[in-house]
Amino acid sequence: MKKVLFTIAMMLLPMLASAQDAVEVDGIYYNLDSEAKTAEVTKGPSGYWGDIIIPESIPYNNDVYNVTSIGNSAFSGCSILTSITIPNSVTSIGEWAFDSCSGLTSITIPNSVTSIGEFAFCWCSGLTSFTIPGSVTSIGDYAFDSCIGLTSFMVDEASISYKSVDGVLLSKDGTTFITYPLGRPETAYTIPDGVTAIVNGAFAGCSGLTSITIPDGLTAIGGWAFQDCSGLTSITLPNSLTSIGSCAFRSCSGLTSIAIPKSVTSIELGAFQDCSGLTSIKVESGNTKYDSRDNCNAIIEMASSTLIVGCQNTTIPKTVRGIQHYAFQGCSGLTSITIPNSVMSIGSCAFEGCI
């Protein structure tokens, strides 16, 4: 039975002529654009399961609508979805589209798809490999987050945007590191020469890696890039590095020391949050933005005299005026610390988890 659900709001009344919501056709739900005559697959009230075949077009009210997209969260949480056929009419896969579809062991993306949204295949634990068609020009951050069974990426040679190097996903020109497959068995990995940037979440959850070699020439490490890499015991940051993103090394509990090169000019909030094993922090002499004055075992922003990263062996200098949010969060080995009278502010969660 076909059913149309309308969301009515005065400010949206002019749009009702061109859009309809949650139309069910043969067990699949769609959002329709009556002007463009296009349909977007959307989440059904009871979800989806088994084998799903998405048609290239659907009939509705004496019209034909081309199915051009899979909407945000359309199949999210459908853990007993076992297979899905995506037609050549689809050009985009939305954010969280297949989140937690753990029953999927393989999926074929047609050569019509140009964009894959953020977290699109997050927690698809049954996937072991993934092929990027040549048509894809945009892959959102964390698109394959927590895909613990994924061992390799393959990329169509016709792609102008991406390539695979030994199963790892890179930009076509090799300068941007996009995703490391979580299911790989190796414990040590060397990032290819020529990579200058690591995107958000690229290695997140790679707990089996104990060592990562970063090439000279790398300038940027994105947010959450190495989050939950709990097995990582050593990493050397190159002298070319200029920025470290938010929570970049959050929960790398195996790390015992950090050496910040003099080239680094940006360390975002919580970059080393919950790194409980840290005992030594040092900023290289000559850095114009940060220092570790008085051998304090901390990172201090010079302009504001704010301590932004500390560890269990930190001694707060008497010149420090503030302690940043999350500065000591997760320093479980911290037993005591003296805060000098010069400190005028302490950020939220600065000492959370120091037990």
Side-chain angles (χ1 to χ4, degrees):
M1 179 179 179
K2 299 176 181 177
K3 181 167 63 175
V4 181
L5 302 176
F6 292 99
T7 301
I8 301 175
M10 293 302 292
M11 63 181 295
L12 296 178
L13 284 177
M15 299 175 61
L16 291 179
S18 60
Q20 298 171 320
D21 293 322
V23 172
E24 183 267 323
V25 178
D26 295 330
I28 301 176
Y29 286 76
Y30 304 89
N31 292 325
L32 304 183
D33 186 323
S34 58
E35 288 186 357
K37 295 295 186 291
T38 58
E40 174 186 79
V41 179
T42 190
K43 196 174 183 72
S46 301
Y48 300 99
W49 56 89
D51 303 328
I52 298 292
I53 299 175
I54 301 173
E56 289 195 359
S57 62
I58 58 170
Y60 186 75
N61 281 356
N62 299 317
D63 281 318
V64 175
Y65 292 78
N66 291 323
V67 179
T68 59
S69 62
I70 296 176
N72 294 347
S73 302
F75 294 92
S76 178
C78 296
S79 60
I80 54 176
L81 179 69
T82 53
S83 73
I84 186 161
T85 301
I86 302 175
N88 287 322
S89 56
V90 169
T91 60
S92 66
I93 296 175
E95 299 174 3
W96 304 94
F98 293 94
D99 164 47
S100 299
C101 289
S102 55
L104 280 178
T105 57
S106 66
I107 186 168
T108 300
I109 306 300
N111 209 32
S112 54
V113 171
T114 60
S115 65
I116 297 174
E118 292 186 356
F119 297 98
F121 296 93
C122 174
W123 282 111
C124 285
S125 55
L127 291 178
T128 57
S129 65
F130 196 95
T131 300
I132 308 292
S135 55
V136 173
T137 57
S138 172
I139 299 176
D141 292 340
Y142 317 103
F144 302 95
D145 184 58
S146 301
C147 290
I148 58 176
L150 195 60
T151 59
S152 67
F153 288 98
M154 293 174 283
V155 180
D156 190 321
E157 291 183 359
S159 175
I160 62 171
S161 301
Y162 302 100
K163 69 177 180 180
S164 174
V165 176
D166 295 328
V168 172
L169 188 60
L170 305 177
S171 62
K172 185 69 172 185
D173 62 6
T175 62
T176 304
F177 191 100
I178 298 170
T179 304
Y180 179 90
L182 283 181
R184 289 168 72 107
E186 60 198 357
T187 58
Y189 179 72
T190 298
I191 295 174
D193 289 337
V195 170
T196 60
I198 299 172
V199 305
N200 295 344
F203 288 90
C206 293
S207 58
L209 284 176
T210 58
S211 175
I212 296 175
T213 301
I214 298 177
D216 291 333
L218 185 87
T219 60
I221 295 176
W224 293 271
F226 296 96
Q227 177 178 262
D228 294 324
C229 291
S230 55
L232 196 61
T233 57
S234 67
I235 189 165
T236 301
L237 303 178
N239 288 325
S240 54
L241 186 66
T242 61
S243 65
I244 300 173
S246 298
C247 302
F249 293 91
R250 182 178 181 181
S251 300
C252 307
S253 57
L255 284 178
T256 58
S257 64
I258 306 169
I260 303 295
K262 62 182 178 182
S263 55
V264 173
T265 57
S266 175
I267 300 175
E268 295 187 12
L269 194 64
F272 297 94
Q273 181 181 343
D274 289 322
C275 290
S276 58
L278 279 178
T279 58
S280 173
I281 301 175
K282 184 175 179 60
V283 178
E284 185 181 6
S285 177
N287 190 299
T288 59
K289 184 71 176 290
Y290 305 102
D291 67 28
S292 294
R293 64 192 67 169
D294 304 327
N295 296 316
C296 62
N297 274 314
I299 302 174
I300 298 170
E301 184 183 58
M302 295 163 63
S304 62
S305 289
T306 298
L307 190 152
I308 64 170
V309 179
C311 70
Q312 54 186 282
N313 289 336
T314 293
T315 300
I316 303 177
K318 295 180 179 179
T319 53
V320 167
R321 296 200 297 267
I323 298 174
Q324 194 181 69
H325 311 299
Y326 312 111
F328 290 89
Q329 187 179 47
C331 290
S332 55
L334 185 67
T335 56
S336 67
I337 194 163
T338 300
I339 300 176
N341 292 331
S342 59
V343 173
M344 304 299 293
S345 64
I346 298 175
S348 61
C349 302
F351 292 93
E352 183 180 50
C354 295
I355 54 175

